[in-house]
């Protein structure tokens, strides 16, 4: 990762927030949208609530329909901005990181080739 800047934006649970203005202002970003099927997400969330000792019911947080809506929203947003999509349902953190870094490498190569072509056309 050396001199590359990486930013993480967690847009889960933001179905009512329009973030398109901020996203449209980014210059040549590599955005990778991580997706999982609802079931493992619900299990993780249930475990998180148990570990926190949450007394208050978080029905929407672990409701299958709500979680499925979040996944659908993320996929729609990804398609709208032509982001790379990566299904992480059965991937470890290490596998996910490797896949994202591979996408970053391809993205950087494409940017360099595109800039070189633009410079060549400008001559």
């Amino acid at each position: 990762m050396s001199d590359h800047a990486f930013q993480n934006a967690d847009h889960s649970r933001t179905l009512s927030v329009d973030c398109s203005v901020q996203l449209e202002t980014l210059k040549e970003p590599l955005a990778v949208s991580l997706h999982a099927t609802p079931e493992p997400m619900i299990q993780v969330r249930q475990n998180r609530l148990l570990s926190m000792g949450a007394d208050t019911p978080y029905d929407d947080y672990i409701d299958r329909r709500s979680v499925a809506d979040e996944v659908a929203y993320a996929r729609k947003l990804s398609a709208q901005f032509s982001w790379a999509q990566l299904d992480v349902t059965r991937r470890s953190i290490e596998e996910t990181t490797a896949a994202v870094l591979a996408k970053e490498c391809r993205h950087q190569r494409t940017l360099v080739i595109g800039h070189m072509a633009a410079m060549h056309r400008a001559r």
Side-chain angles (χ1 to χ4, degrees), residues 59-113:
D59 296 334
D60 284 346
Y61 187 60
I62 57 174
D63 176 68
R64 189 187 190 300
R65 177 167 216 135
S66 294
V67 175
D69 288 347
E70 287 178 38
V71 172
Y73 171 75
R75 289 186 184 278
K76 181 180 174 185
L77 192 65
S78 302
Q80 177 184 344
F81 289 101
S82 300
W83 292 339
Q85 296 188 38
L86 187 60
D87 187 339
V88 298
T89 300
R90 300 191 189 281
R91 290 183 191 242
S92 68
I93 292 171
E94 295 83 3
E95 291 169 319
T96 300
T97 301
V100 170
L101 289 175
K103 288 181 182 298
E104 166 65 9
C105 185
R106 284 191 298 275
H107 178 69
Q108 289 300 321
R109 237 186 344 258
T110 302
L111 288 178
V112 168
I113 291 169

Side-chain angles (χ1 to χ4, degrees), residues 13-28:
R13 314 246 336 123
T14 57
L15 299 175
S16 62
V17 176
D18 182 14
C19 56
S20 59
V21 173
Q22 295 90 340
L23 297 172
E24 289 173 351
T25 62
L26 297 174
K27 301 292 182 217
E28 299 178 343

Side-chain angles (χ1 to χ4, degrees), residues 38-57:
E39 290 75 19
M41 291 176 64
I42 292 167
Q43 288 176 343
V44 167
R45 290 175 178 195
Q46 287 172 330
N47 290 338
R48 184 177 297 140
L49 291 174
L50 286 173
S51 71
M52 292 172 28
D55 295 333
T56 311

